[in-house]
Amino acid sequence: MTSYHCPVDGTRSAITALTWCCPACRGPWDLDFAPARGVAANALSGRADSLWRYKEFLPLGTSAISLGEGRTPLVPLTDTVSAKLDFLMPTLSFKDRGAVMLAELARRLGPDRVVADSSGNAGTAFAAYCARAGLPCTVYVPEGTSAKKTEQIRAHGARPVTVPGGREATARAARAAADEPGVFYASHVFNPYFLHGTKTYAYELWEDLGGRLPEALAVPVGNGTLLLGVALAVAELHALGLITARPRLIAVQVEAVSPLASAFRAGADDLLPVGGVAGGGGRDGRGTGGGTDDLPPVGGNGGPEPATLAEGIAIPRPPRARQILAAVRESGGTFLTVPEDGIREAQRDLAARGLFVETTGVACWAAVRAGGNAVRGEVVVPLCGSGLKTGMAASA
Ligand SMILES: Cc1ncc(COP(=O)(O)O)c(C=O)c1O
């Protein structure tokens, strides 16, 4: 099996050690993996009708626990903009792409139990895939998490643990449990296998477009797992000579919580310290928002957690900030931010077109339909969570 390495200080760990973060700096791992060989897009017919059809490109190759995730449709919204319907996944969000990787990895490692933390879609996805893998799973959720989501977690046989306080308190509780022996921490932020799942979003586009990618890909960014997965796929396809042109990445945040857009506009290569001067971030330049343990709370200033309709991307200090900023810059792309009204209008607009999408999942369409210089050429937006999870946003 391949191993983890820390992108900041080069520390390494065997995957079997169940070490969920770099012991030196407590930051997220990267994975030592590059596909050794590719396969042409037109040679994939007849394979599994799931993301496991891209086995040459996946560090785990095959899985015993697939629920048929992936292969979501691409439908036109305008002459130049198409939507990829990632809300049509087994647990109704794109998180299934990464959750299946972590559950399959855990199944192979055979831990005593799996823990996860999430206020939303990742928690329900881990619960479902752990059920499929026959693994006991505990999902830490913040107080106030919707009853529907906790019900879904429980329905899959996982144990939801409600933590008083916000996301940061929840992350701390999960990490305390993750430090215990025999525990596999299914973290979508810290475990890089998750990114090797989300990257299949771009592999599917590449296959559907006959071996190329669109000119621009809009991607919602909280902790950046879809964006970093897409960047990984683009790098792999390019390195293997399977694409020549690389898409611009249009990273989308909400105005209310846009730490990465602010850093990008300031020309910084990491999060701005609270107060707004370029250059800082957390310890070793890392952010804290999926939260490292002894760093400032979400919000970065001890204040209340910010309110937005797009709660899934409301991450004030994402730990992979440096990687996200570098990926967007390297692609020639940019950051766009959307106001709350833009979210409401985009959700209503999509529903009027027959697409019922959750409030976070409409953010990219909100950004792209607002237009602007960044939105040119052929663009794909993900509709990445079902409206059944949140319902319609109330009018302002
Ligand atoms: C529907 C939806 N879209 C986008 C995101 C943002 O993903 P990330 O935090 O990995 O950037 C989430 C995260 O929960 C989500 O649930």
Side-chain angles (χ1 to χ4, degrees):
M1 206 178 258
T2 169
S3 60
Y4 296 130
H5 74 267
C6 173
V8 171
D9 54 41
T11 302
R12 310 187 74 78
S13 173
I15 280 146
T16 46
L18 301 183
T19 316
W20 62 267
C21 67
C22 169
C25 71
R26 305 283 281 171
W29 291 121
D30 279 352
L31 191 66
D32 287 332
F33 172 79
R37 63 190 175 92
V39 54
N42 61 9
L44 291 163
S45 62
R47 293 205 176 184
D49 195 19
S50 73
L51 56 78
W52 295 98
R53 67 201 276 110
Y54 308 111
K55 60 184 180 188
E56 288 85 353
F57 304 99
L58 299 174
L60 296 173
T62 56
S63 168
I65 59 162
S66 176
L67 290 167
E69 54 287 332
R71 301 302 298 140
T72 55
L74 189 61
V75 299
L77 293 177
T78 70
D79 287 348
T80 54
V81 181
S82 299
K84 188 158 168 63
L85 309 192
D86 256 32
F87 67 87
L88 297 178
M89 285 281 197
T91 78
L92 309 181
S93 87
F94 82 94
K95 301 280 184 184
D96 291 2
R97 296 183 185 277
V100 71
M101 296 295 154
L102 293 196
E104 171 62 12
L105 175 63
R107 189 190 67 79
R108 293 185 193 185
L109 297 176
D112 297 336
R113 62 196 179 99
V114 176
V115 302
D117 58 301
S118 161
S119 59
N121 289 320
T124 53
F126 287 131
Y129 282 95
C130 282
R132 190 74 173 170
L135 291 164
C137 175
T138 305
V139 184
Y140 292 81
V141 297
E143 202 174 36
T145 296
S146 81
K148 275 191 192 159
K149 283 176 181 156
T150 19
E151 185 184 336
Q152 191 182 352
I153 290 168
R154 206 174 275 117
H156 293 307
R159 189 169 68 97
V161 175
T162 303
V163 181
R167 299 166 88 107
E168 187 71 13
T170 307
R172 282 177 206 275
R175 283 160 204 172
D179 283 332
E180 287 167 20
V183 173
F184 179 89
Y185 182 26
S187 170
H188 54 293
V189 183
F190 283 81
N191 193 309
Y193 277 92
F194 197 89
L195 308 180
H196 285 272
T198 56
K199 78 181 182 185
T200 59
Y201 175 88
Y203 276 98
E204 288 175 13
L205 287 172
W206 165 76
E207 182 185 357
D208 288 346
L209 297 178
R212 65 176 185 86
L213 287 170
E215 289 167 77
L217 290 170
V219 191
V221 179
N223 277 307
T225 64
L226 186 55
L227 184 126
L228 290 172
V230 165
L232 202 52
V234 171
E236 289 172 355
L237 285 166
H238 195 259
L240 290 165
L242 292 167
I243 52 169
T244 44
R246 295 191 240 197
R248 282 175 290 116
L249 300 182
I250 303 175
V252 177
Q253 300 210 288
V254 268
E255 279 178 5
V257 190
S258 46
L260 292 159
S262 302
F264 186 85
R265 287 170 193 153
D269 58 8
D270 203 343
L271 295 171
L272 305 177
V274 177
V277 182
R283 177 175 47 190
D284 293 327
R286 289 183 187 283
T288 63
T292 39
D293 294 337
D294 51 352
L295 293 165
V298 171
N301 54 8
E305 294 186 4
T308 169
L309 290 166
E311 53 169 13
I313 47 174
I315 308 294
R317 311 285 302 168
R320 293 191 187 267
R322 268 183 179 276
Q323 293 178 322
I324 297 165
L325 289 164
V328 174
R329 284 207 177 93
E330 277 162 23
S331 78
T334 193
F335 273 82
L336 297 178
T337 51
V338 291
E340 298 298 301
D341 272 351
I343 297 281
R344 281 190 194 88
E345 285 158 19
Q347 193 186 33
R348 279 199 293 265
D349 176 74
L350 287 168
R353 295 163 185 261
L355 298 162
F356 193 39
V357 182
E358 76 166 79
T359 41
T360 301
V362 305
C364 288
W365 176 232
V368 166
R369 73 193 284 265
N373 187 35
V375 185
R376 54 183 193 279
E378 180 194 22
V379 184
V380 172
V381 298
L383 304 181
C384 48
S386 168
L388 295 174
K389 300 242 192 179
T390 59
M392 292 298 284
S395 304

